[in-house]
């Protein structure tokens, strides 16, 4: 919410009272910081704090105050780490956090251009940071940037990583969808599925499917098979074109997300509706 990142305990929606009580007891306990002292550059960008009494009654359990407006929060697969994105933060746009220890750190290296998206690798300790014209891949263990990929589009709008981890897809405001291979990033597969700006792309965790949405009133579902043979190109074929949202101020579908197990697709439209497709 604005410059705040709030951790909530949704007591109203959880029927298991034991889970609710255990969660509250964890957040009431003191966090062991040890001898760790955050650099001034980090404390000036983000501050961890406990909620006030009024905030606690509203369900707040931990509050992070950032120095700029937060646009996106992405979680690591293990659940203890997450990253926040502040496009106006310049060299402090991306901050990594550890919930269990209340620690934050900046990624190493200065990035040119406005940061658009941030995404964790599904298997390896890698972080994808997409600026307007390129994608930077950071190794979180080695604390360094290992690769810079020049995007084949004018302005990056979204990024999605294949569940296998060897491929990723970039969408742009110039209508392009580019499929990259991690080991061969200089020759992307260009897919012209849309006639206007691409807003979001998302892979299904289980099925060989990915979805993309655009302002051209198209919600495209595409089949994508990745082979074990690295010399063999992936098989990509459009499957279904979904329509149902209404246009508002020249915007159509703004975001898409797959169900983690079932072949169900959620779409959030500019018409203030969320729709479920199956």
């Amino acid at each position: 919410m604005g410059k705040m990142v709030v951790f909530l305990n949704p007591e109203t929606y959880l029927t298991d009272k034991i889970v609710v009580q255990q969660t509250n007891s964890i957040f009431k306990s003191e966090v062991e910081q040890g001898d760790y002292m955050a650099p001034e550059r980090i404390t000036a960008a983000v501050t961890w704090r406990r909620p006030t009494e009024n905030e606690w009654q509203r369900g707040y359990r931990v509050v992070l105050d950032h120095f700029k407006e937060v646009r996106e929060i992405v979680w690591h697969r293990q659940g203890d780490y997450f990253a926040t994105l502040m496009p106006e933060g310049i060299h402090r746009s991306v901050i990594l956090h550890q919930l269990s220890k209340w620690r934050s750190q900046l990624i190493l290296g200065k990035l040119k251009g406005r940061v658009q998206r941030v995404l964790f690798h599904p298997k390896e300790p890698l972080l994808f940071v997409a600026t307007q014209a390129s994608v930077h891949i950071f190794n979180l263990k080695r604390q360094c940037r290992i690769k810079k990929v020049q995007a084949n589009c004018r302005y990056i709008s979204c990024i999605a990583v294949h569940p296998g981890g060897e491929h990723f897809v970039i969408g742009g405001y110039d209508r392009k969808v580019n499929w990259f291979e991690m080991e061969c990033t200089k020759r992307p597969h260009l897919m012209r599925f849309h006639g206007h700006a691409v807003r979001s792309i998302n892979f299904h965790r289980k099925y060989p499917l990915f979805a993309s949405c655009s302002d051209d009133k198209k919600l495209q579902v595409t089949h994508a098979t990745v082979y074990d043979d690295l010399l063999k190109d992936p098989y990509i074929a459009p499957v279904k074109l979904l329509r149902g949202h209404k246009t508002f101020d020249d915007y159509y579908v703004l975001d898409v997300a797959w169900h983690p197990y079932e072949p169900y697709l959620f779409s959030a439209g500019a018409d203030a509706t969320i729709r479920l497709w199956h």
Side-chain angles (χ1 to χ4, degrees):
M1 299 181 295
K3 299 180 180 180
M4 294 173 55
V5 173
V6 181
F7 286 87
L8 302 169
N9 188 13
E11 302 179 7
T12 307
Y13 306 99
L14 294 178
T15 56
D16 194 337
K17 295 183 179 179
I18 297 179
V19 174
V20 172
Q21 295 174 358
Q22 291 177 345
T23 303
N24 287 335
S25 63
I26 290 175
F27 283 108
K28 284 182 179 179
S29 61
E30 294 292 333
V31 179
E32 296 182 3
Q33 290 279 358
D35 298 331
Y36 173 76
M37 294 293 294
E40 183 179 355
R41 188 163 177 257
I42 296 178
T43 56
V46 59
T47 304
W48 294 74
R49 68 174 176 88
R50 297 186 180 278
T52 62
E53 293 184 2
N54 293 333
E55 291 175 339
W56 183 275
Q57 295 299 326
R58 296 170 61 185
Y60 293 19
R61 296 299 176 259
V62 179
V63 180
L64 278 76
D65 294 320
H66 292 71
F67 78 116
K68 295 291 182 179
E69 185 173 348
V70 179
R71 173 182 172 180
E72 187 178 21
I73 305 172
V74 292
W75 281 95
H76 189 268
R77 67 185 184 280
Q78 294 180 353
D80 191 23
Y81 296 90
F82 64 98
T84 54
L85 169 61
M86 299 173 288
E88 303 297 334
I90 309 178
H91 298 313
R92 291 180 291 178
S93 296
V94 181
I95 303 181
L96 303 178
H97 311 273
Q98 186 176 4
L99 178 60
S100 61
K101 296 185 178 180
W102 284 27
R103 293 185 181 181
S104 302
Q105 69 180 64
L106 300 172
I107 59 173
L108 298 178
K110 295 182 179 180
L111 304 175
K112 294 182 180 180
R114 180 187 176 98
V115 178
Q116 296 293 107
R117 296 291 179 180
V118 178
L119 194 63
F120 284 102
H121 191 279
K123 296 182 179 180
E124 302 295 332
L126 303 178
L127 180 69
F128 293 79
V129 179
T131 60
Q132 295 175 341
S134 59
V135 177
H136 305 261
I137 304 176
F138 291 87
N139 189 309
L140 300 179
K141 279 190 175 181
R142 293 161 49 187
Q143 292 289 307
C144 65
R145 184 175 62 184
I146 61 174
K147 185 175 290 188
K148 177 182 178 181
V149 180
Q150 200 67 29
N152 188 27
C153 61
R154 296 179 182 177
Y155 206 124
I156 296 176
S157 62
C158 53
I159 181 173
V161 182
H162 188 271
E166 298 298 329
H167 305 261
F168 62 95
V169 177
I170 295 174
Y173 290 116
D174 58 352
R175 306 172 294 177
K176 294 181 181 179
V177 177
N178 292 282
W179 180 295
F180 289 85
E181 298 180 21
M182 288 288 290
E183 300 300 329
C184 183
T185 56
K186 294 184 178 180
R187 293 184 179 181
H189 302 279
L190 177 60
M191 296 170 283
R192 296 186 179 274
F193 294 154
H194 299 283
H196 290 278
V198 180
R199 294 292 173 181
S200 177
I201 300 175
N202 196 282
F203 279 100
H204 198 288
R205 297 182 185 178
K206 181 179 178 181
Y207 296 97
L209 299 171
F210 77 89
S212 59
C213 61
S214 173
D215 292 333
D216 60 356
K217 301 183 180 180
K218 291 181 181 179
L219 178 56
Q220 180 70 54
V221 178
T222 306
H223 175 92
T225 300
V226 175
Y227 301 98
D228 294 333
D229 186 2
L230 298 179
L231 299 178
K232 193 173 182 179
D233 293 335
Y235 175 75
I236 304 172
V239 175
K240 187 71 174 179
L241 188 62
L242 303 176
R243 299 178 184 270
H245 287 277
K246 296 181 180 179
T247 304
F248 181 79
D249 284 348
D250 294 330
Y251 296 102
Y252 187 60
V253 181
L254 303 178
D255 202 1
V256 290
W258 289 98
H259 188 281
Y261 309 112
E262 302 295 335
Y264 299 158
L265 180 66
F266 295 88
S267 62
D271 56 356
T273 63
I274 298 176
R275 298 173 185 262
L276 170 62
W277 311 83
H278 61 87

